[in-house]
Amino acid sequence: MIDLGLSKLAIIGVVALIVIGPEKLPKVARMAGTLYGRAQRYLHDVKSEVSREIELDELRNLHKEVHDSAHSFKSEVEQSMSSHVDEVEALWDGREHLPSSSSSSHASHGFVSTADIERKARDFRRKKLVRTSAVPSWYKHRHGGKTHVLSGAARVRKFRPGSSKSKTSFF
């Protein structure tokens, strides 16, 4: 910027006093001050606008990077899921049988063989059939079968000695 010292300002003031005159000098000084203030505000606005544009450009670049990384992550997850779904479907349909050497390594990693899956499915179906069989409720009442399921807490409350509901509470 312009380097104005005290001596230079004094020389400018004396020249302005001689050229403009003492009557018009206050009005000119006031106008010069307002023009100087407007120029400063204009420069400040331009600087802030430029900095906003730079920040917006950085945010757009960051948004693009995040969007690209999210898209790549999504495609990796979809690819991984589709391979695992294909693997599970192949095991479920029995199209792929695991060799005995790899089945032990898969079992240590948490994988279950198809025979175990089939056995568990058969047991589940059998137990579900027993639970939801078509025995009428009057027959269950007459012969002491379960008519409804109680939670563990309800069973403890029901069969605990001295837990009768007929007790009178004074509180």
Side-chain angles (χ1 to χ4, degrees), residues 73-137:
F73 179 73
K74 179 183 173 187
S75 64
E76 288 175 11
V77 167
E78 287 175 347
Q79 181 183 9
S80 173
M81 288 299 295
S82 66
S83 68
H84 289 300
V85 165
D86 292 342
E87 196 175 305
V88 168
E89 286 177 350
L91 288 172
W92 185 260
D93 294 340
R95 290 179 287 183
E96 187 177 318
H97 294 287
L98 297 174
S100 61
S101 62
S102 66
S103 65
S104 62
S105 66
H106 284 298
S108 65
H109 293 294
F111 293 109
V112 182
S113 68
T114 56
D116 290 338
I117 292 172
E118 290 172 358
R119 182 181 47 81
K120 287 181 181 180
R122 215 177 317 114
D123 290 344
F124 178 77
R125 278 190 236 102
R126 184 181 49 81
K127 288 176 183 176
K128 184 172 173 74
L129 181 65
V130 168
R131 281 190 308 248
T132 60
S133 63
V135 177
S137 60

Side-chain angles (χ1 to χ4, degrees), residues 37-53:
R38 285 182 187 170
Q40 278 186 335
R41 283 192 296 274
Y42 178 73
L43 285 175
H44 177 69
D45 289 344
V46 169
K47 284 181 184 178
S48 65
E49 187 68 29
V50 167
S51 66
R52 265 191 241 127
E53 286 296 325

